[in-house]
Amino acid sequence: MFKRLFAAAAVVAALATPVLAAEFTAEQLEGLAARIESFDAAMKASDMSQVMDVVPPKVLDKIAANFNVTTEQLIEATQQQMDQVMKDVEIVSFGMDLEAAEFLETADGTPYALIPTETVMDMGEAGGKLKASSSTLGLFDEETWYLVRVEDAQQVAILKEVYPAFADVEFPTGSMEPVTE
């Protein structure tokens, strides 16, 4: 009876605490800060090749394979689409709050960070200003930090496919609201 009670308690504890805090070295955290800073600069400059550089290669390769193109062709097409969109949209502000980030790990011990992210966009006369609030996944893979949007269901599905450790991770949903001044 004691064994069954202990086993049941162990199962409940495992289910109740699927995510634990992850530990990163000061050097790893500095690397994440530098990655965020370079991404921020690329976003402000609408430089999609640099923006795409923060996406894990496994994710880019999977997206390219899904569209039957090379990764280079995917990046080029994304740059063209972004150039078209940015004709009508202005990024007013963009920022990731590293100080408010949560440092976690998956059930198998894969460390990651969830970084609160806010983007304010001016959609022009057609849409006014909008504020998007979300979280960005900081993924440490092979000594490199990558950043992934986790409010996009398709992107999360691809992430979970190429990084099975994230299969059971529930990511926070984002929100979008009009900015009234």
Side-chain angles (χ1 to χ4, degrees):
M1 168 122 161
F2 183 74
K3 285 183 181 179
R4 275 192 270 164
L5 183 60
F6 181 57
V11 169
V12 169
L15 293 175
T17 58
V19 179
L20 306 170
E23 300 277 333
F24 290 99
T25 66
E27 183 179 333
Q28 289 168 331
L29 293 175
E30 288 170 14
L32 178 57
R35 189 64 135 169
I36 289 170
E37 188 176 313
S38 69
F39 181 75
D40 186 44
M43 280 292 290
K44 289 176 181 168
S46 298
D47 182 349
M48 282 311 292
S49 65
Q50 288 299 310
V51 167
M52 298 292 280
D53 188 47
V54 303
V55 179
K58 291 177 188 176
V59 171
L60 284 177
D61 292 345
K62 180 63 179 164
I63 294 169
N66 287 351
F67 288 102
N68 200 28
V69 297
T70 66
T71 302
E72 292 76 21
Q73 289 170 322
L74 173 68
I75 292 169
E76 183 179 324
T78 303
Q79 177 68 56
Q80 290 172 357
Q81 288 177 339
M82 191 66 159
D83 289 346
Q84 188 65 33
V85 168
M86 295 312 286
K87 288 180 182 177
D88 300 320
V89 176
E90 174 192 353
I91 302 283
V92 176
S93 66
F94 174 83
M96 289 188 214
D97 188 355
L98 186 55
E99 290 182 16
E102 292 181 76
F103 295 92
L104 308 162
E105 60 184 44
T106 63
D108 77 349
T110 301
Y112 66 98
L114 284 176
I115 309 154
T117 305
E118 183 178 284
T119 308
V120 176
M121 301 163 282
D122 187 343
M123 310 297 281
E125 291 180 25
K129 287 186 182 177
L130 297 173
K131 178 175 82 171
S133 300
S134 61
S135 291
T136 299
L137 170 67
L139 171 64
F140 193 66
D141 186 17
E142 298 190 22
E143 303 302 313
T144 301
W145 281 103
Y146 296 101
L147 303 172
V148 180
R149 289 179 40 221
V150 292
E151 76 276 0
D152 181 272
Q154 289 179 316
Q155 188 142 328
V156 168
I158 291 169
L159 171 78
K160 290 181 176 192
E161 186 176 341
V162 298
Y163 289 99
F166 288 94
D168 296 327
V169 174
E170 295 274 338
F171 293 107
T173 57
S175 65
M176 191 166 298
E177 61 188 1
V179 175
T180 55
E181 296 178 35

